[in-house]
Amino acid sequence: MGMNIQRRRTALHYSQEFVAYNANLSRFAYQQLEHGQSRPGSPANPSLINIMAVAQVLNVSLDELLPDPWPDLHAK
């Protein structure tokens, strides 16, 4: 998802600061979202409201930000 967000942001020529501010996120939180990590080596688990806010700023639907294909989320 982070790569999809970054691609869309750069296609629109938006800075990370611009998207973060308009999505009401800190720049650090936004950078973590783009990098897909909450801590080094730990995958990000952003809230739906944050993803929705970023999608709104980037003028895309949620499904355009989600990875394709979806990862297998079944418990193992």
Side-chain angles (χ1 to χ4, degrees), residues 1-75:
M1 180 172 60
M3 290 299 296
N4 292 342
I5 292 171
Q6 184 180 30
R7 283 188 196 113
R8 178 65 179 172
R9 176 183 61 77
T10 56
L12 293 170
H13 305 287
Y14 290 168
S15 68
Q16 288 181 336
E17 292 82 5
F18 176 84
V19 178
Y21 178 81
N22 287 287
N24 200 29
L25 299 171
S26 70
R27 187 175 63 111
F28 181 72
Y30 178 79
Q31 287 174 329
Q32 288 178 312
L33 184 60
E34 262 195 21
H35 291 246
Q37 293 184 332
S38 58
R39 289 182 300 272
S42 176
N45 191 13
S47 69
L48 182 56
I49 197 154
N50 287 348
I51 298 169
M52 290 169 59
V54 169
Q56 209 168 32
V57 172
L58 298 177
N59 198 32
V60 294
S61 62
L62 289 177
D63 63 315
E64 292 179 74
L65 297 181
L66 297 176
D68 187 34
W70 287 13
D72 183 7
L73 302 175
H74 290 99

